[in-house]
Amino acid sequence: MAKTDTSRSRKATKAAATRSDKDTWAAAYKLIDAPKGAINIAYEAVDRHVQHGHGDDTAIIWLGKDGSRQDLTYGDLAQATARFSNVLLAHGLEPGDAVFSLMGRVPDLYFAALGTLKAGLVFTPLFSAFGPEPIRTRMEIGSARVLITTAQLYKRKIAAWRSELPSLKLVLIVGDTAPEGCVALGPAMANASPEFVTAKTEPDSPALVHFTSGTTGKPKGVVHVHNAVLYHAFSGREALDLTPGTIYWCTADPGWVTGTSYGIIAPLVNRVCMIVDEAEFDLDRWYRTVEQEKVEVWYSAPTAIRMMMRSDAKAASAYDFSSLRFLASVGEPLNPEAVLWSEQVFGQPFHDNWWQTETGGIMIANRPGMTVKPGSMGKAMPGIEAAIVERDGDGLRALADGKVGELALRPGWPSMMRAYLHEQARYDRCFEDGWYLSGDLAMRDTDGYFWFVGRADDLIKTSGHLVGPFEVESALIEHQAVAEAGVIGLPDETAGEIVKAYVTLNPGYTPSEELERDIRGHARKTLGPAVAPREVIFRNTLPKTRSGKIMRRLLKARELGLPEGDISTLETDET
Ligand code: ATP
Ligand code: MG
């Protein structure tokens, strides 16, 4: 992109993008079967493979918390999802109706997600750990018609207010029995036909509503359409190296977008064999799973990677990781330290990539074969035009490489959001001058690699410097005692803001004044005195969203005694 004449650069880049978009999406269409004018995610992910003679290929290896295991083929999935679609229609539900799920990562969740899409209804998965209030708010916003959950979760979290949600017509309960007023899914599925003619959904038919993580404020309900499957097919292959038969493990829960886009759709569309683990993070279990299942491609998140890093490196040396061929990470900035650690332990780096609930798919990535620059999110995906921009009086100005500004994308890729539910004005504010504005600050280097700086709201202005929390956090976790760090700016009369850090420690270290001084000293050496934190506070945990993102706004609100705002996605934390 030209660096100074922005009016000319806008025209030039648009023309280039149009040409490459066309080629890219034409290539993506070749990956799927969709006839013109009709497309359905579930058909492309499941039934297409059966039609093409791959019904016996393994689609899912499910690992139960209790050590049980279930292998499901594409043929099994086609039948189970058809049964689920038939259950929905038997209860008078219609295309467009909203189906919510609230349960752990059990096979029924995957049948429900794909069965809903196959029948042309709209799916929203929720984290099973949400409390009653966040569940209720989301189901109200999404006008839920159906909920699929377990008897236990229903009793604990739904029963008390169910009658106050008149849109809710049907509650399906996993298993053979159901509380009064609900329907047991087991017998309903058993009695339903395993045949179903996929609904004739169109490219713009709504398919999924995902709620954002709530890192910066109240979660938004983001609407995605069936055409998104094109981008999932394409990006699964391009960014994650998913090909038929690949043994793939995405550790994300479908309660956030990664667990659906790349934990259900992209892998199945690419006919991989995917691992679904019902259990939560456990170091030995994870390492054992990689070894025993011979995982080839692993997609995880910085919070999990940092948990692995906390353990003794010896723990890893007991396992054979030779099956791994590609590792990727998303959700938060991946500290350079984590990339280097992964090279040591797994013999290859975690490849960071960047995207959002709104973009529906990976936009910026360290793709297979690319040189990884530790700390960088990688380059824009083929067909995706990304720029660093600044708002000025009369619109947006593209910034030169090396300058920090807002990360913007040229809309037009198939998995882009189509709406924020009931928040049209907010949706409209995301677009300006033909760009989608991400709300994240970043910098692009002259090789085209993007470097994350922070959320627009998290930038710290101290003594004339602009400081992104990520660079300070990354410097802190280089210190051998520090496991995780969250950095914020606090108002200060002389400096404007001062940098303050919260850290958790690695096993074997205990908080002390001396350690605090040592950590600050290390940060001063790495970052310089102006940017290094003035104060380092020790914590047992940092406040995080359920998708594993550090909630800096909460650290700041607590520090300043301000209201905490929406904390519906907060994991339990101690202060
Ligand atoms: P909310 O929008 O409700 O505040 P959220 O933005 O955290 O929550 P998500 O859509 O789940 O909700 O997360 C997308 C955001 O996560 C991105 O905008 C970015 O800030 C952060 N993110 C994702 N991947 C990366 C990455 N590789 N490096 C840095 N940040 C990332
Ligand atoms: Mg966001």
Side-chain angles (χ1 to χ4, degrees):
M1 173 165 305
K3 291 164 196 168
T4 43
D5 182 347
T6 53
S7 62
R8 225 177 39 218
S9 77
R10 250 179 236 148
K11 268 192 213 130
T13 49
K14 187 145 197 192
T18 313
R19 209 171 36 245
S20 79
D21 281 358
K22 243 170 82 197
D23 294 347
T24 307
W25 309 140
Y29 263 110
K30 292 207 183 103
L31 298 171
I32 62 169
D33 262 3
K36 253 207 151 45
I39 190 165
N40 183 284
I41 295 175
Y43 173 79
E44 299 301 338
V46 181
D47 296 80
R48 176 171 58 102
H49 303 310
V50 180
Q51 298 272 322
H52 290 260
H54 302 291
D56 291 336
D57 290 12
T58 306
I60 296 180
I61 295 177
W62 177 76
L63 305 173
K65 268 185 205 162
D66 58 0
S68 57
R69 176 199 169 102
Q70 207 178 322
D71 288 25
L72 293 156
T73 64
Y74 280 91
D76 296 335
L77 259 191
Q79 294 201 352
T81 53
R83 287 180 194 275
F84 192 85
S85 307
N86 281 318
V87 170
L88 291 178
L89 296 204
H91 283 88
L93 292 148
E94 292 176 358
D97 281 348
V99 178
F100 277 62
S101 70
L102 178 78
M103 60 182 137
R105 290 179 295 277
V106 294
D108 288 299
L109 170 58
Y110 297 79
F111 304 155
L114 293 159
T116 298
L117 296 172
K118 200 181 240 188
L121 282 73
V122 180
F123 193 68
T124 299
L126 297 178
F127 274 106
S128 59
F130 275 157
E133 204 43 49
I135 296 168
R136 178 180 175 156
T137 320
R138 284 163 180 75
M139 286 177 63
E140 274 170 4
I141 294 175
S143 311
R145 298 279 284 162
V146 182
L147 173 68
I148 161 163
T149 186
T150 64
Q152 212 190 16
L153 288 168
Y154 178 77
K155 277 185 211 138
R156 282 200 351 245
K157 302 185 179 187
I158 313 287
W161 53 265
R162 175 183 175 176
S163 61
E164 293 160 36
L165 188 62
S167 70
L168 186 60
K169 191 174 147 71
L170 173 67
V171 177
L172 293 166
I173 301 290
V174 174
D176 292 335
T177 56
E180 209 193 313
C182 304
V183 173
L185 187 64
M189 292 270 281
N191 292 331
S193 162
E195 306 281 332
F196 187 85
V197 180
T198 305
K200 290 208 167 22
T201 43
E202 293 174 5
D204 283 336
S205 304
L208 293 145
V209 172
H210 276 294
F211 286 88
T212 59
S213 291
T215 314
T216 55
K218 188 167 162 272
K220 296 144 274 187
V222 176
V223 180
H224 287 291
V225 295
H226 278 274
N227 211 36
V229 68
L230 258 181
Y231 196 72
H232 294 136
F234 168 75
S235 57
R237 189 162 285 206
E238 274 287 325
L240 298 176
D241 203 20
L242 302 181
T243 51
T246 296
I247 300 175
Y248 167 71
W249 184 16
C250 169
T251 62
D253 188 279
W256 65 295
V257 70
T258 304
T260 302
S261 290
Y262 295 98
I264 304 179
I265 304 169
L268 295 178
V269 172
N270 282 296
R271 197 162 34 95
V272 312
C273 164
M274 64 183 211
I275 308 290
V276 173
D277 186 8
E278 188 192 9
E280 296 308 320
F281 177 84
D282 172 89
L283 187 79
D284 285 320
R285 184 179 170 103
W286 276 34
Y287 284 171
R288 200 172 57 241
T289 300
V290 171
E291 179 183 79
Q292 286 181 357
E293 303 302 336
K294 302 195 169 31
V295 174
E296 293 168 304
V297 177
W298 201 12
Y299 195 21
S300 198
T303 181
I305 298 166
R306 290 192 298 256
M307 278 197 269
M308 293 191 250
M309 288 168 70
R310 278 188 78 154
S311 71
D312 192 337
K314 268 200 241 122
S317 64
Y319 295 90
D320 175 5
F321 297 128
S322 58
S323 59
L324 288 171
R325 75 161 191 263
F326 188 71
L327 311 179
S329 163
V330 70
E332 271 207 308
L334 184 65
N335 316 88
E337 186 73 4
V339 177
L340 302 175
W341 172 86
S342 131
E343 274 176 339
Q344 273 168 19
V345 172
F346 301 115
Q348 53 191 306
F350 265 98
H351 293 69
D352 189 17
N353 58 52
W354 176 96
W355 58 290
Q356 309 178 299
T357 311
E358 288 86 341
T359 70
I362 298 169
M363 296 284 109
I364 297 196
N366 287 287
R367 305 203 308 278
M370 261 172 67
T371 303
V372 173
K373 298 189 187 186
S376 159
M377 313 189 284
K379 296 185 184 183
M381 288 283 288
I384 298 297
E385 186 190 352
I388 301 297
V389 303
E390 183 178 69
R391 296 169 203 243
D392 66 12
D394 46 32
L396 294 185
R397 204 159 61 84
L399 293 179
D401 289 339
K403 295 262 185 260
V404 173
E406 189 161 353
L407 175 54
L409 302 160
R410 186 77 79 189
W413 66 92
S415 68
M416 179 55 171
M417 70 162 163
R418 300 306 162 93
Y420 283 138
L421 272 187
H422 313 306
E423 291 195 89
Q424 184 65 34
R426 182 173 209 163
Y427 175 80
D428 292 341
R429 279 201 301 279
C430 296
F431 300 91
E432 201 173 323
D433 269 2
W435 289 97
Y436 163 70
L437 292 159
S438 70
D440 283 349
L441 297 175
M443 183 272 280
R444 182 174 55 189
D445 69 18
T446 47
D447 297 330
Y449 283 72
F450 286 83
W451 299 76
F452 184 79
V453 172
R455 309 277 186 142
D457 304 344
D458 290 339
L459 202 68
I460 304 164
K461 298 178 192 79
T462 181
S463 308
H465 297 269
L466 280 181
V467 180
F470 174 49
E471 73 169 306
V472 183
E473 290 162 7
S474 289
L476 289 167
I477 76 163
E478 279 169 18
H479 189 284
Q480 57 187 3
V482 177
E484 280 198 299
V487 165
I488 57 168
L490 292 175
D492 180 78
E493 271 186 14
T494 38
E497 279 185 301
I498 54 159
V499 180
K500 180 161 181 171
Y502 297 79
V503 300
T504 63
L505 294 178
N506 280 319
Y509 292 91
T510 41
S512 70
E513 273 180 32
E514 199 189 334
L515 183 58
E516 200 252 2
R517 265 200 309 278
D518 198 59
I519 293 171
R520 275 194 295 115
H522 163 80
R524 252 199 324 277
K525 242 193 288 154
T526 322
L527 299 164
V531 175
R534 253 339 142 75
E535 208 182 336
V536 175
I537 306 286
F538 297 110
R539 285 283 162 85
N540 291 331
T541 59
L542 296 178
K544 282 190 192 163
T545 65
R546 295 208 174 275
S547 51
K549 297 163 198 264
I550 298 170
M551 292 172 93
R552 296 176 190 81
R553 70 174 163 98
L554 213 56
L555 288 170
K556 194 159 174 169
R558 287 172 179 174
E559 184 69 47
L560 299 174
L562 296 172
E564 294 193 341
D566 186 295
I567 51 165
S568 59
T569 61
L570 177 67
E571 259 190 337
T572 338
D573 75 323
E574 330 156 15
T575 45

